[in-house]
């Protein structure tokens, strides 16, 4: 039973849904995240920081809502906030994230731009366990993606995402089978 956290467009959420994985709840830190519309009949909820006294309170409420919906495994699919222990401790070793670089290289919020600025020839997609750090948990799967000479952030990100859309459902399916 999978819960997915989203902040943006939700193409990775779409890949999980298309793979017929058991997504039972979708939560966002943004009420207007386009990803939420992809959930269709799956229950959704928004947990905006402004509605709570702080990050701990917000994360505790989000974890509670996911647990109430039967979530056992949490997937961060373009979720652009750090999670606090109030959330992490509810799903120990059961939270995964997908990131558009070959971690530990290029963590953070702008990895695609950072890789182009650094002039790397090779990028990639990483699926990893989530801890308190920024994109720092144990790596579960990684795949290389070439950087082409005329790449823009958009063209490179699209190439990486097409790998993410295959890699993430594959890893999540394996975790579900454990
Ligand atoms: C993906 O590239 C993911 O790796 C990163 O944010 C992006 C989310 O894209 N963390 P989407 O919202 O799934 O389309």
């Amino acid at each position: 039973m999978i819960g997915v956290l989203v902040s943006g467009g939700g193409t990775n959420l779409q890949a999980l849904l298309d793979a017929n994985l058991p997504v039972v709840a979708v939560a966002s830190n943004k009420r207007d995240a386009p990803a939420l519309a992809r959930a269709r009949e799956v229950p959704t909820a928004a947990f905006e920081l402004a509605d709570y006294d702080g990050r701990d309170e917000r994360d505790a409420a989000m974890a509670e809502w996911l647990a109430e919906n039967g979530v056992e495994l949490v997937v961060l699919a373009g979720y652009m906030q750090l999670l606090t222990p109030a959330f992490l401790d509810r799903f120990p070793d059961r939270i995964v994230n997908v990131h558009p670089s070959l971690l530990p290289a290029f963590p953070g919020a702008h990895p695609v731009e950072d890789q182009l600025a650094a002039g790397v020839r090779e990028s990639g997609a990483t699926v990893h366990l989530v801890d308190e750090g920024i994109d720092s948990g144990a790596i579960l799967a990684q795949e290389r993606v070439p950087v082409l000479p005329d790449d823009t952030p958009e063209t490179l990100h699209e190439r990486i995402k097409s790998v993410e859309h295959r890699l993430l459902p594959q890893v999540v399916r394996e975790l579900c089978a454990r």
Side-chain angles (χ1 to χ4, degrees):
M1 303 270 264
I2 299 165
V4 183
L5 304 191
V6 294
S7 301
T11 62
N12 280 286
L13 166 63
Q14 190 67 55
L16 296 168
L17 294 168
D18 291 347
N20 289 318
L21 286 159
V23 177
V24 296
V26 178
S28 179
N29 62 314
K30 290 184 175 179
R31 204 159 270 121
D32 61 355
L36 289 173
R38 298 180 185 266
R40 294 176 172 272
E41 72 277 10
V42 177
T44 65
F47 296 86
E48 295 208 345
L49 196 49
D51 298 337
Y52 295 89
D53 289 339
R55 303 178 79 88
D56 286 345
E57 289 77 3
R58 187 270 299 277
D59 281 6
M62 189 162 63
E64 184 60 31
W65 182 79
L66 292 169
E68 279 168 9
N69 278 278
V71 168
E72 299 159 302
L73 173 69
V74 178
V75 180
L76 311 192
Y79 185 68
M80 300 303 285
Q81 301 261 290
L82 277 181
L83 292 167
T84 61
F87 190 98
L88 298 169
D89 293 347
R90 288 291 293 270
F91 300 97
D93 290 328
R94 302 294 285 174
I95 308 173
V96 300
N97 181 42
V98 59
H99 184 81
S101 79
L102 293 172
L103 289 173
F106 302 102
H110 308 289
V112 179
E113 290 83 353
D114 293 347
Q115 287 169 96
L116 287 175
V120 296
R121 290 185 174 176
E122 197 170 56
S123 178
T126 302
V127 181
H128 65 96
L129 287 176
V130 173
D131 60 18
E132 274 184 72
I134 299 173
D135 304 316
S136 57
I139 291 170
L140 300 174
Q142 211 161 41
E143 195 168 311
R144 295 171 191 283
V145 174
V147 178
L148 303 182
D150 56 352
D151 262 335
T152 64
E154 291 72 29
T155 60
L156 177 55
H157 203 174
E158 279 312 307
R159 193 174 310 115
I160 298 169
K161 278 191 184 188
S162 66
V163 171
E164 292 181 347
H165 298 160
R166 178 168 40 74
L167 197 62
L168 180 64
Q170 188 182 309
V171 173
V172 170
R173 193 180 297 286
E174 284 165 14
L175 289 173
C176 286
R178 274 188 200 170

